[in-house]
Amino acid sequence: MAAPALSSRAGSVSSLGNSPTATPGSTNMNKMIPGYPELDFRSGARIDEINRLIHEFSKHDQREYDDQRALEIHTAKDFIFSMLGMVQKLDQKLPVANEYLLLSGGVREGVVDMDLDELSVYARGTDYDMDFTLLVPALKLHDRNQPVTLDMRHSALCHSWLSLRLFDEATIAKWKDCCTVVDHLSGATNYFFSPTLVADWFHESVSVVLAEIQKKPQRGMPRVEKVEKNGTVISVILGVGSSRMLYDIVPVVSFKGWPAVAQSWLMENHFWDGKITEEEVISGFYLVPSSSHKGCKENEWRLSFARSEVQLKKCISASLMQAYQACKSLIIKLLSRPKAVSPYHLRSLMLWSCDRLPSTYLAQEDFGAHFLLGLIDDLQHCLVNKMCPNYFIPQCNMLEHLSDETAMLHARKLSSVRSDPAEHLRTAIEHAKAASRLTLELQWRGGGSSSSSASGLPSPQSDASGEQQPDDRLAKKLQQLVTENPGKSISVFINPDDVTRPHFRIDDKFF
């Protein structure tokens, strides 16, 4: 299945001519009429004005963090990891030494490809200031040096059932209560790992541990403001000092290697060729607890390539990423009812565009407006044709389930954005400013003692005497990493028997 575009594959300069937003000929027009502003043909908006609005949005959307905020982020992360270590010790189900993937942005932001129908509506500024997604492996298959073959006989593309036959008897005994049972005519019994039962167990375990922690609060310990089960996602909002952080915690199955169903993707040319190694891209994948629209919710998992996407982001230009973030803000609420398109669809289109267009074009710092308008055009094209191929498994059409009425409704909504992108960007900027003002107001109201004590927060593992103080150098390093790497993802390795020593990285930077 071809990429969602009307042009040839990667690197062909002629592909520029197929995009009404690329406007390569505008340079010639500017030469013929000196000083004439470059315009967007569809809306009549000035390209330089759209560029200015994208930069302004980025400034308000990606706020810089001072030492106190960086320390609050670290304290919340430390608390979450400590809590997960206690979940592991509760019934020994989770792997003893686990590897988590911490992603910047919540599930609602399209960080992972999951069905969002059952998620509660949270708003930045009103409910939280920062959001993260944490993938927690409940099972790991990390000892295979060959393509992983999954049981997809009962599933839609990009989905799979998971039989515990792949594991030893001890693992089967440990997880039997989170499986559906299928008896074969031969008399053999097969246990299929159930995403809904795993999520139920995980929510109950997290709730038990948090209740136990709150019985003996320690000085500086984060406030647990909300714990909710949203479908198969556990959403936890923590208050630390003057900050509120949303963690969407997702129980997953982790694999090393690469799924056989995506092997053909590796044979194609891609924008990341020569920039990062294939070993980095295909180091692992996940099964996340999300079924297809017609699949069996109790048994069906969705393939997730979040680990690969973290690597691919390193090869995407800053101007394209800014345009993507701005475009996401325009569509996330506009297309939310009825549920049809998520930010993950837009991310897929961005990856396809990187394969389709020359890297020299995508690297242009002042082409943000072209990229934004092009992403809107691409998404509208996908809706009209009900066709959005998964980037890693192109034969999987992520919009196949849409009714004609829903697809056209959203295409018309996007048309209104495309007719006046500058005005919609101004609205997005005002929303970002309002969220920031609301956060500041809440900080002023709840400031005082909680805010002032944040600079001396102990780790949740330290005793009440406060002898174990966090390292100030870590706070400074965190601040540097956060400000230098906006929107990037953090990979975490932690031993629950020694939760005082988390090791994590932001993309390729370790500390």
Side-chain angles (χ1 to χ4, degrees), residues 71 81 86-87 94 99 166 170 208 257 311 322 372 402 457 486:
L71 187 55
F81 293 162
M86 294 175 69
V87 168
L94 293 181
E99 185 177 2
L166 298 171
V208 167
Q311 299 299 323
Q322 282 190 349
L372 170 72
L402 287 189
L457 287 172

Side-chain angles (χ1 to χ4, degrees), residues 21 28 72 117 155 168 188 204 243 247 278 322 342 396 499:
T21 58
N28 295 331
E72 290 167 352
D117 288 342
S155 306
D168 55 36
E204 182 179 346
S243 303
Y247 273 84
E278 184 174 287
Q322 282 190 349
S342 81
C396 172
V499 293

Side-chain angles (χ1 to χ4, degrees), residues 1 48 68 152 209 276 319 415 424 471 474:
M1 184 178 295
D48 59 358
Q68 176 178 317
M152 298 182 170
V209 167
I276 54 178
S319 53
S415 179
H424 282 83
D471 190 341
L474 178 58

Side-chain angles (χ1 to χ4, degrees), residues 31-83:
K31 289 179 180 178
M32 290 186 295
I33 310 177
Y36 195 88
E38 185 181 2
L39 302 179
D40 169 40
F41 186 90
R42 172 69 185 90
S43 66
R46 290 178 53 147
I47 293 297
D48 59 358
E49 173 66 4
I50 297 176
N51 277 328
R52 184 190 69 77
L53 291 169
I54 291 172
H55 288 304
E56 185 176 354
F57 173 80
S58 299
K59 180 180 69 175
H60 293 289
D61 188 54
Q62 300 288 344
R63 299 181 295 276
E64 292 188 0
Y65 303 139
D66 56 18
D67 285 348
Q68 176 178 317
R69 180 59 64 87
L71 187 55
E72 290 167 352
I73 293 172
H74 171 68
T75 301
K77 174 187 66 63
D78 199 28
F79 178 84
I80 290 290
F81 293 162
S82 175
M83 179 269 293

Side-chain angles (χ1 to χ4, degrees), residues 266-338:
L266 295 175
M267 308 306 294
E268 303 289 337
N269 295 323
H270 296 291
F271 70 97
W272 48 267
D273 293 336
K275 299 175 182 176
I276 54 178
T277 66
E278 184 174 287
E279 287 71 22
E280 290 177 283
V281 175
I282 66 171
S283 62
F285 68 100
Y286 298 100
L287 295 182
V288 296
S290 181
S291 68
S292 61
H293 289 269
K294 293 183 179 179
C296 175
K297 288 189 175 182
E298 287 72 30
N299 286 341
E300 198 170 75
W301 300 77
R302 179 173 293 168
L303 274 74
S304 169
F305 300 92
R307 184 184 293 274
S308 301
E309 289 162 5
V310 168
Q311 299 299 323
L312 298 186
K313 281 175 65 177
K314 294 189 290 187
C315 305
I316 299 176
S317 69
S319 53
L320 179 56
M321 282 301 301
Q322 282 190 349
Y324 161 74
Q325 295 292 347
C327 189
K328 184 174 71 172
S329 73
L330 300 185
I331 71 163
I332 195 167
K333 289 188 173 63
L334 181 73
L335 305 185
S336 62
R337 293 291 181 270

Side-chain angles (χ1 to χ4, degrees), residues 8 176 233 288 322 327 329 353 495 500:
S8 57
K176 269 186 180 180
V233 177
V288 296
Q322 282 190 349
C327 189
S329 73
S353 73
N495 183 344
T500 62

Side-chain angles (χ1 to χ4, degrees), residues 175-301:
W175 285 105
K176 269 186 180 180
D177 57 342
C178 290
C179 293
T180 58
V181 181
V182 176
D183 293 319
H184 293 279
L185 295 176
S186 62
T189 300
N190 203 348
Y191 296 94
F192 288 100
F193 206 43
S194 170
T196 54
L197 293 177
V198 170
D200 290 341
W201 161 81
F202 193 56
H203 176 249
E204 182 179 346
S205 298
V206 167
S207 299
V208 167
V209 167
L210 287 177
E212 191 64 29
I213 290 174
Q214 289 173 300
K215 287 180 183 177
K216 299 177 181 178
Q218 300 175 13
R219 185 177 70 85
M221 188 176 74
R223 307 178 304 277
V224 181
E225 299 189 353
K226 185 173 294 187
V227 181
E228 283 190 354
K229 181 173 177 289
N230 295 290
T232 53
V233 177
I234 313 303
S235 298
V236 179
I237 296 181
L238 299 177
V240 188
S242 59
S243 303
R244 297 160 302 157
M245 277 155 271
L246 166 64
Y247 273 84
D248 284 329
I249 309 175
V250 185
V252 300
V253 181
S254 173
F255 294 83
K256 290 293 186 187
W258 197 246
V261 69
Q263 280 294 306
S264 61
W265 177 79
L266 295 175
M267 308 306 294
E268 303 289 337
N269 295 323
H270 296 291
F271 70 97
W272 48 267
D273 293 336
K275 299 175 182 176
I276 54 178
T277 66
E278 184 174 287
E279 287 71 22
E280 290 177 283
V281 175
I282 66 171
S283 62
F285 68 100
Y286 298 100
L287 295 182
V288 296
S290 181
S291 68
S292 61
H293 289 269
K294 293 183 179 179
C296 175
K297 288 189 175 182
E298 287 72 30
N299 286 341
E300 198 170 75
W301 300 77

Side-chain angles (χ1 to χ4, degrees), residues 109-126:
E109 296 291 313
V111 174
V112 288
D113 183 16
M114 293 189 69
D115 190 347
L116 305 180
D117 288 342
E118 299 180 81
L119 285 176
S120 299
V121 178
Y122 299 150
R124 185 184 298 272
T126 303

